[in-house]
């Protein structure tokens, strides 16, 4: 069984990912992927801007993204990578299976998985 990912929490970690990461815009989210020089478990961060809605809406959107990456991690080994998932307005209305597929496609598009 895969170890669960570690959360990105510091602003500097998000800024590093934004500056150097490969980006994959999808209908339900934007994924930024930054390769690290280690083989440790993935670190994952989530961000949703105020454009998406009030705090209740943003938190719901963030929870959907968290669950989507958790589902993908069950059958995909993610190592040596930092991931930032950016919630969009469409994230909360997207059918959950489509959102999970968006995450899978974005991971392939950025080269985080083969």
């Amino acid at each position: 069984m895969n170890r669960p990912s570690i959360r990105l929490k510091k602003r500097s970690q998000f800024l590093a990912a934004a500056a150097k990461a490969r980006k994959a815009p999808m209908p339900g989210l934007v994924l930024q992927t930054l390769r690290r020089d280690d083989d440790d478990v993935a670190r994952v961060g989530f961000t949703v801007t105020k454009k998406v809605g009030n705090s209740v809406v943003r938190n719901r959107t963030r929870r959907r993204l968290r669950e989507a990456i958790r589902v993908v991690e069950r059958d995909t080994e993610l190592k040596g990578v930092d991931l930032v998932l950016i919630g969009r307005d469409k994230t909360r209305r997207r059918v959950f299976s489509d959102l999970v597929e968006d995450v899978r496609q974005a991971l392939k598009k950025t080269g985080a998985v083969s």
Side-chain angles (χ1 to χ4, degrees):
M1 187 170 160
N2 295 338
R3 282 179 40 205
S5 59
I6 299 169
R7 298 288 176 241
L8 292 177
K9 294 183 180 176
K10 294 184 180 176
R11 186 171 192 270
S12 61
Q13 295 170 320
F14 282 87
L15 292 176
K20 303 173 192 168
R22 296 190 66 187
K23 294 164 183 64
M26 303 301 287
L29 62 113
V30 176
L31 176 69
Q32 297 175 334
T33 304
L34 179 64
R35 280 261 169 227
R36 296 190 321 258
D37 293 332
D38 59 35
D39 213 20
D40 204 6
V41 296
R43 298 186 305 192
V44 183
F46 305 92
T47 184
V48 182
T49 66
K50 287 185 178 181
K51 284 195 299 187
V52 172
N54 64 22
S55 62
V56 174
V57 172
R58 291 192 313 268
N59 286 329
R60 182 173 295 140
T61 302
R62 204 173 353 264
R63 281 194 303 269
R64 292 191 91 218
L65 290 173
R66 237 186 349 255
E67 182 61 17
I69 196 72
R70 191 187 69 75
V71 168
V72 170
E73 281 182 324
R74 279 191 297 198
D75 57 356
T76 306
E77 191 165 1
L78 299 172
K79 288 190 172 196
V81 69
D82 287 346
L83 306 171
V84 176
L85 285 86
I86 302 170
R88 292 180 156 184
D89 190 39
K90 293 181 181 178
T91 305
R92 74 176 193 274
R93 290 190 303 267
R94 193 132 170 93
V95 176
F96 187 72
S97 59
D98 292 343
L99 186 62
V100 170
E101 192 56 34
D102 285 349
V103 172
R104 284 193 173 104
Q105 291 301 318
L107 287 168
K108 287 178 186 170
K109 191 174 178 181
T110 60
V113 295
S114 50

